[in-house]
């Protein structure tokens, strides 16, 4: 099978619908499926669509398990910028996921290294990940695996690039953006059975082109997705514009 599969659609809403189709089909087939979920601007429309389908009785999350990709170090769930807070606002409070089935790395843990190991253990205990839904940073990161991160990395504490801090400043209400986060490692992400990469907006077109057509290397973390047997990229046409413009 050729990977990644490319799905290019007209709008952010359509990206969300296509992605929700994958989640819906998976949970129909496997009601206790294990999902990896991202935060940020990209998945907001997907979570809105998941809420809509739940409300319409189309998706049941009661047995699903979710693991988030990352969390800032030192940010409490009720503080601006928290990914736990983001997930509660956009998804947990809107569908019938059980709180005990929704995991996010604890960026307030006294022993962050132990927290990373615990996270890996939990993923192993549930039998691994069925579907990892990812976004991509403008520097090519997936999760907070910044350029230069080993493709073998497991869940770890990472230094967040300045460009990533700036890209996330909008969520912090003027407070400083933390320079550290816990992220699921690329090695962990690559063990997911299926991967869905969501890409929207013209500001992602350059990095999407590099990730999909440039050399596979640690300077563009998302490029490694080309070595995974089952990746689907769902992009709106603005994000895919440079790919489409490439001569055959
Ligand atoms: C967030 C995450 C990041 C984002 C990426 C894109 O949990 O894992 O890799 O997916 O930074 O962010 P947005 O969607 O805000 O452009």
């Amino acid at each position: 099978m050729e990977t990644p599969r490319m799905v290019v659609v007209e709008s952010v809403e359509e990206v969300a619908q296509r992605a929700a189709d994958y989640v819906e089909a998976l949970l129909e087939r496997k009601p206790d499926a294990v999902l990896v979920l991202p935060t940020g601007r990209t998945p907001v429309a997907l979570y809105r669509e998941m809420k809509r389908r739940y409300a319409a009785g189309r998706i049941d999350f009661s047995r699903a398990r979710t693991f988030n990709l990352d969390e800032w170090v030192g940010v409490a769930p009720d503080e601006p910028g928290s990914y736990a807070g983001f997930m509660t606002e956009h998804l947990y409070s809107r569908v019938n996921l059980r709180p005990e089935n929704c995991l996010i790395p604890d960026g307030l843990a006294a022993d962050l290294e132990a927290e990373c190991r615990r996270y890996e253990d939990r993923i192993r205990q549930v039998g691994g990940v069925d579907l990892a839904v990812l976004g991509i940073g403008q520097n090519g990161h997936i999760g907070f695996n910044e350029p230069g991160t080993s493709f073998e990395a497991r869940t770890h504490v990472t230094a967040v690039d300045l460009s990533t801090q700036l890209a996330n400043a909008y969520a912090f209400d003027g407070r400083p953006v933390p320079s550290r986060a816990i992220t699921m490692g690329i090695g962990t992400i690559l063990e997911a059975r299926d991967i869905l990469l969501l890409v929207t907006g013209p500001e992602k077109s350059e990095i999407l082109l590099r990730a999909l057509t440039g050399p596979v290397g640690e300077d563009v973390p998302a490029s490694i997705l080309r070595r995974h047997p089952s990746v689907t990229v769902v992009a709106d046409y603005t994000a895919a514009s440079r790919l489409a413009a490439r001569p055959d």
Side-chain angles (χ1 to χ4, degrees), residues 37-44 68-71 83 133-139 141-145 164 167-168 170 183 197-198 200 203-204:
L37 297 176
T39 53
R41 288 186 159 112
T42 310
V44 169
N68 265 70
L69 281 165
D70 36 30
E71 178 61 288
Y83 284 164
V133 183
L134 309 176
I136 183 172
Q138 282 186 55
N139 63 0
H141 71 213
I142 47 176
F144 275 154
N145 293 279
T164 302
N168 284 278
Y170 73 92
T183 183
L197 177 66
L198 310 184
T200 57
E203 66 282 5
K204 298 285 176 69

